[in-house]
Amino acid sequence: STFLTANPFFFNISDLKNLSFDWTVNSQAAEVNDPSRQQALDLNIDQKAPSGFIADIKLTVRNLLDEMSFASDNVKLNIK
């Protein structure tokens, strides 16, 4: 299992509850295990995944109090 955490800098908020975190892995919506920690993703990769398997992980963070305040980025995780 691989644990990823988003650290949302530069958002004008006083509480992380004012942000939404939308994770996708290989274009599929990813479920967050703990709704109180939406900024964390526990990625379970099958032990039998072939060498060179790539997980395309995308995160979009939105400020629920300001629709013009959002950020999105992705990373490719190469399994060896």
Side-chain angles (χ1 to χ4, degrees), residues 6 21-24 38-39 57-61 71-74:
F21 295 80
D22 298 314
W23 295 89
T24 61
Q38 291 185 49
Q39 74 276 17
I57 303 164
K58 180 177 180 181
L59 173 62
T60 301
V61 181
S72 183
D73 207 351
N74 67 314

Side-chain angles (χ1 to χ4, degrees), residues 12-76:
N12 187 17
I13 59 162
S14 59
D15 191 336
L16 284 176
K17 293 178 184 176
N18 293 328
L19 297 176
S20 73
F21 295 80
D22 298 314
W23 295 89
T24 61
V25 179
N26 296 334
S27 301
Q28 301 282 329
E31 292 184 30
V32 175
N33 293 340
D34 183 355
S36 68
R37 291 186 37 91
Q38 291 185 49
Q39 74 276 17
L41 178 67
D42 189 6
L43 185 61
N44 293 313
I45 299 170
D46 191 335
Q47 295 287 346
K48 297 177 185 175
S51 179
F53 173 78
I54 295 176
D56 185 16
I57 303 164
K58 180 177 180 181
L59 173 62
T60 301
V61 181
R62 292 183 176 85
N63 184 338
L64 299 173
L65 304 176
D66 178 5
E67 66 184 41
M68 298 301 290
S69 179
F70 63 93
S72 183
D73 207 351
N74 67 314
V75 63
K76 292 188 185 292

